[in-house]
Amino acid sequence: MFKKLNFESIEDLIKTFKRNKNIIGIIQCGSRNYLNENINEIGDYDLTVIIDQNISNNIMGLHFFIKKIPVDCMIKTIDQFYKPITNVFDLMHLDGVIIHDTNNEVQKALNYFIEHSNHNRLFDNKLVINKYRYKFTHIKYKLLKRLNKNDLTIKYLFNVGFITFVEFYMITRKIQPGKFKLAFEMMQTNESELFTLVKRYQNTNDEQVMYELIEKIFSYMLKFCNGFWKEDEILFRKNIDSNLEDENKLLEFLFDK
């Protein structure tokens, strides 16, 4: 049974992967180069290991340390690059750098992915948008019910609300997952109104003011997609293959007498 990782450096890890016949390619993602061993540099090392055949439907990657540097290792099969994007973290491959390619198949797959990824598909996907319309409305409702009640839960909900906002901001602005500093820099440069709301929100401890500001932040994010979830609107938890017929069938089954 495998027990322990023992690498002298990230470069040592990459060399080991390159010798492994099960691995057909490696894509370096993010801004950190595998030759950079400076432990004082902020940020982990992101890479995707590409294999020919899937070895598990339940594990998509792993995290570990090498000499105090966090390593985020995604595992993908070559054929997954030819399928539609279903995970926002796949977008990091748009700026990926191939550092190992045994037969040029990885380059072909990455080229296809970049050409066909169409980030706007994820952004314009009604399922994704309605997911966040529901989240923002649900969080706003829970916050309102707990205002001025000395409820510790409200601090947690404010944190969840802000994290959800940043997550949606990064998806809709085509920012790679984990690039929080870049997100706020872009916000400050391109969306000063939103950035001002965020600064005010972060600089107050008054729950009523925080609620008013987080509501304005949510409203700003939802103004392009019909706003908050409305009282006369039904949102369905569904997958990408569902259609209007499925929705009507369910409604008739549940509510028609």
Side-chain angles (χ1 to χ4, degrees), residues 4-44:
K4 186 179 180 180
L5 294 175
N6 187 23
F7 297 105
E8 292 299 319
S9 64
I10 297 176
E11 185 178 10
D12 184 25
L13 168 72
I14 298 301
K15 288 180 178 178
T16 301
F17 279 155
K18 288 181 177 180
R19 291 193 297 266
N20 189 332
K21 293 182 179 180
N22 296 317
I23 296 173
I24 62 176
I26 305 168
I27 298 178
Q28 179 176 275
C29 305
S31 58
R32 185 169 199 149
N33 188 287
Y34 73 93
L35 297 176
N36 183 355
E37 302 291 340
N38 183 3
I39 64 173
N40 295 315
E41 180 174 314
I42 298 174
D44 56 0

Side-chain angles (χ1 to χ4, degrees), residues 104-118:
N104 202 40
E105 288 302 313
V106 176
Q107 186 66 68
K108 292 178 183 177
L110 185 60
N111 288 344
Y112 181 93
F113 175 82
I114 293 172
E115 183 179 352
H116 294 85
S117 63
N118 188 6

Side-chain angles (χ1 to χ4, degrees), residues 123-124 129 168 172-173 219-227:
F123 166 55
D124 291 335
I129 290 174
F168 191 51
T172 54
R173 274 56 175 181
S219 296
Y220 182 100
M221 293 303 299
L222 295 175
K223 63 184 179 181
F224 70 93
C225 55
N226 299 322

Side-chain angles (χ1 to χ4, degrees), residues 175-187:
I175 301 171
Q176 286 186 17
K179 300 292 185 181
F180 305 111
K181 181 180 179 182
L182 174 62
F184 289 117
E185 288 174 349
M186 288 181 59
M187 191 187 303

